[in-house]
Amino acid sequence: MTFGDSSTPGVELIVPDPHFIIQNNQKLTGIIITHAHEDHLGGLPYLWRQLKCPIYATPFAAGLLRKKLAEVGLSKIVTIIEFASGKKLNVGPFEISFIPVAHSVPETHCLAIKTGIGTIVHASDWKIDKEPLIGLPTDQECFREVGKTGVLALLCDSTNVFEDGFSGSEGALRQSMIEVISNCKGRVVVAFFASNVARMETCIRAAQKNNRRIALVGRSLTRIAEIAKSCGYLSDCPEFIDVRDIGYLPQEEVLIMVTGSQGESRAALSRISNDNHPEISFSEGDTVIFSSREIPGNELSIGMLKNQLAKLNVHVIEENDAFVHVSGHPAREELKQLYDWVQPSLVIPIHGETRHLIEHCRLAKECGIPSALKVENGEVLSIRPDKAEIIKEVQSGRYAVDGRRLIPLKGDVMKLRRRLNLTGNALVTIVLDKHCDLLKVPQLSAPGIVDDMGQDAVMHSKAVSSIEKSIQLMSRKQKTDDEKINRVVSSSIRKFFYQETGKRPMVILHIVRV
Ligand SMILES: [Zn+2]
Ligand SMILES: [Zn+2]
C-alpha cells in the first residue's frame, strides 16, 4: 500500500491490483505479514474481501491489523493466526521459519520458506542493529543455519542500496537524542513515524533525562502506544500527560511526540503549525525535531511545513543538523553481511525503485552471488534448482481507494479527475426546439474556471454568446446530429477559454430537444 499525492486528487490510499491472485485464489493458502508497517499491511482491509484467506502475523502486527479491520467491519470475519519469533509453521505446502530482524517497528521477521525444491528467503524490511532497544536484534545464527541448507533465492530490501557503510543503531541514537534535547529551550516537539515504538521509547527516555513531561498528539501515535503496551512494550514508561494540560506546564518541562513528519496536512504537526489545533500552538523558541527520513515525493509538503515553522520562529532540527534519526533499512555493508550469512544462489532485489533494484543486482554480483535478477511488478519468475527466469507477464498495477470503492489508478475515472483538477470543467446545457433552434439561452457552469458572478460575469456572458453563435452557424441538418453539436460546441468553448485564460477546460454538453 502507498499514499496518494497531488497526482491522485481525492485519493489518500493506493493498493495493488489483486487480479492475478484472485485468478489463482484456489492456490492462496494465506498471507503472512512480516511486520506492522503500512506498506506491508495497510492494503489488507481493502483487499481482503476479494482474497478471503487466513492472515499470519505477530501479536503486535495483529493488534494493529485488528484495529484497521474493525474500521471496515471485518474484525470478526478475518482469521488472524499469530506466530512467534524463531518458530516454524506449515502454511499450505510450505514450511515457514520466522527469523527475527531489527527494523523500525517491533517484531519484524524474515521468512525462510522451505519448498519442495529448496528454500527461498524473503528478507522483508530489515537492518543489522545490535541494540535495537525494542525487540530482538537480527538473528545472525539463524540466517547462517538456513544458509547451510542451501538457499535458492533471497528476496532482499533495496531501500538503502546507495548508502555506504551501516545504517546505524537505535541505541546510539538514543544517547544523541538525550543530548540534543538537553540543549533545547522551550517546548520540544518530536515528529516520527508512529509505528516506530523504539523511537517512541527513545523520546520518552530523553524526556525523562531532561525532566520533561511527555504528551502524545496524533491518532496513529495514540493507537500504536496502546497496542505496544498491550504487547508488553513501553511497560515502565511514565503516564502521558493529557494534551489539554500542556498549556499549564512550563514550556521547558514539556516534550510532545507528534505525527506528521512528512508534512501531511491533516496530521498533528501541520495542524499545530497552522494554528489549527484545538489544544496546542507553537511559541517562539520552541523546537521541532524531525526524527525521520524525508520520503521521496513528500519534499514539497515537508518544505511548506518547515517554512511555516520558520515563520513562527520555531527552531527545526533534522537529520542534516544532528544525529536525530537512523534508518530501518540495510546499507551496503549490511547487505553484504546478509549475503555472506545466507549464501543464496540468486538475489532478487525488492522494496525499491527501478534504480535501486538495478544497483542491488550489481552489488550482489560484485559480492560473488552467482545470479541476481531484477523482477518488476507483474513479471512471473520461475525458480528451479538449476535455473531462474521470468516466464511471463500478468496483469498488475494499482487501485485507488476512492471513498468506499476501489478504482483503477490508470482508469478513465482517475484520468478525468486529474484533467478536471488541472483544467476545470465547463458544463453546458442547450435546449433545442423541433426546428433545431435554440429555445433558451444556453446554460453554462464552469466551476474552477469562471465565476458567473462578480469579476468573471463579463467573461461568462461572452462564453455563453460564443456557444450561441457556434450553434447558430450550424445548418439545420447538422443540428439534428447530437455528436456534431457536441464537437462544435466543445471546440468553440475550449477555444474561447483558451483565448481568454490560456486553459482548455473539459466540456460536458447536455442537449435537450423539445
Ligand atoms: Zn517496507
Ligand atoms: Zn518496514
Side-chain angles (χ1 to χ4, degrees), residues 103 140 449 478:
H103 184 40
Q140 181 183 158
I449 311 167
Q478 285 175 322

Side-chain angles (χ1 to χ4, degrees), residues 35 37 39-40 103 125 329 351:
H35 63 290
H37 271 156
D39 56 328
H40 296 257
H103 184 40
D125 293 356
H329 299 273
H351 213 283

Side-chain angles (χ1 to χ4, degrees), residues 29-34 56 83 87-99 109-124 142-143 145-147 149-156 342 348 350 383:
T29 49
I31 294 175
I32 298 171
I33 302 297
T34 57
Y56 298 81
F83 65 79
K87 292 281 182 273
K88 287 183 179 158
L89 210 63
N90 288 313
V91 179
F94 309 113
E95 184 194 273
I96 299 181
S97 307
F98 300 96
I99 308 173
H109 287 83
C110 289
L111 313 176
I113 307 165
K114 208 165 157 189
T115 75
I117 57 157
T119 300
I120 311 279
V121 174
H122 186 295
S124 169
C142 211
F143 277 115
E145 284 305 311
V146 173
T149 65
V151 170
L152 280 182
L154 166 68
L155 286 82
C156 190
V342 175
I348 303 163
I350 53 171
I383 302 175

Side-chain angles (χ1 to χ4, degrees), residues 11-44:
V11 171
E12 283 186 19
L13 299 177
I14 295 165
V15 296
D17 173 357
H19 180 83
F20 175 71
I21 302 175
I22 293 166
Q23 263 188 336
N24 290 279
N25 219 341
Q26 73 286 357
K27 294 185 194 165
L28 181 64
T29 49
I31 294 175
I32 298 171
I33 302 297
T34 57
H35 63 290
H37 271 156
E38 286 293 324
D39 56 328
H40 296 257
L41 60 68
L44 264 180

